[in-house]
Amino acid sequence: MESMFATFHLAQYQGSGPILATTLNPIPPAHDPTLLRRFHKDSNVFSIYNDIQHYIKISHSRLTKPEANAWIEIYVAFWKAIGEILRAETGHHRDDWAIKVYEAWKEVTNLLIRGFSHAGFGAWLMPCLYTAGKYLRVFAIKADEEKATKVGNGTVKMEEDILADDITVNFEKNEMLEDAARVINKVFTLCISD
């Protein structure tokens, strides 16, 4: 956890969004392939909030209170998302692994959006939104693929009394991707308004 937050503090000090975005990447860097596994292993569900609070609040006095609280929430959600990803990689999720990863990553993305809209994150942090949105799309596609394999082709025939004809509708075929598009649209709105 220390190396993750050393990078966080370096990025905050330099005002470097691309460096900070690397701390929110769900893919470990090539030079440190165990980084995310160590980050997740260094805490547990009972102490993660306090652990991250220590690394962000105690160690970095330049952040305002709303910024610090937003980053704490973001990294707690990131820790949970990494946990879902690691469980999926090790085969501990038998069902709905992609959906669980997608939902966890969506929380990270929504908290980043909230950080921009409520905690006063600066425009220099836009690369964090890019990273979150990029992987939200990837995880949404995987979740939709998982759903499609469970349901077959995802096609539902619907007959209604009002409409005498058979209507074939692709309900839920791209449900997660459409949900991701709505979240990414919020990211886009933040970017154009900044």
Side-chain angles (χ1 to χ4, degrees):
M1 202 172 277
E2 281 185 38
S3 62
M4 180 81 75
F5 286 103
T7 304
F8 172 84
H9 294 304
L10 175 68
Q12 288 283 341
Y13 178 75
Q14 293 180 354
S16 175
I19 292 174
L20 191 60
T22 65
T23 68
L24 294 171
N25 193 328
I27 309 296
H31 69 277
D32 191 359
T34 63
L35 176 69
L36 298 177
R37 192 170 302 282
R38 288 191 328 268
F39 172 72
H40 191 264
K41 186 181 174 193
D42 283 349
S43 192
N44 61 54
V45 72
F46 303 109
S47 66
I48 186 62
Y49 185 88
N50 290 333
D51 292 343
I52 290 177
Q53 182 180 33
H54 166 75
Y55 282 107
I56 289 180
K57 278 192 171 180
I58 306 285
S59 305
H60 202 281
S61 59
R62 285 180 42 164
L63 294 173
T64 65
K65 187 174 183 175
E67 285 176 313
N69 288 336
W71 282 117
I72 291 166
E73 288 181 22
I74 290 164
Y75 280 102
V76 168
F78 179 73
W79 182 86
K80 291 175 182 176
I82 294 304
E84 294 296 338
I85 292 167
L86 293 173
R87 277 188 284 286
E89 285 178 355
T90 58
H92 285 96
H93 280 309
R94 291 187 180 162
D95 295 327
D96 300 333
W97 70 267
I99 295 168
K100 290 177 182 178
V101 168
Y102 169 75
E103 291 297 334
W105 194 256
K106 180 180 163 186
E107 179 67 13
V108 172
T109 307
N110 281 327
L111 287 169
L112 272 166
I113 291 168
R114 191 177 317 148
F116 278 89
S117 59
H118 293 89
F121 286 3
W124 65 276
L125 294 168
M126 291 289 176
C128 296
L129 286 173
Y130 171 79
T131 298
K134 173 184 172 182
Y135 288 104
L136 184 68
R137 180 181 167 275
V138 169
F139 296 143
I141 291 169
K142 292 286 186 195
D144 283 335
E145 288 172 356
E146 179 181 272
K147 280 183 124 181
T149 59
K150 286 184 179 180
V151 178
N153 65 5
T155 302
V156 177
K157 281 222 174 201
M158 185 173 88
E159 293 183 60
E160 294 186 21
D161 294 332
I162 301 170
L163 302 171
D165 301 326
D166 287 79
I167 301 171
T168 304
V169 182
N170 280 335
F171 283 121
E172 301 178 0
K173 184 175 181 187
N174 293 317
E175 179 185 359
M176 298 300 177
L177 190 57
E178 289 175 13
D179 185 48
R182 286 187 285 278
V183 175
I184 292 169
N185 192 32
K186 291 178 191 176
V187 170
F188 180 72
T189 301
L190 279 173
C191 292
I192 61 172
S193 68
D194 199 24

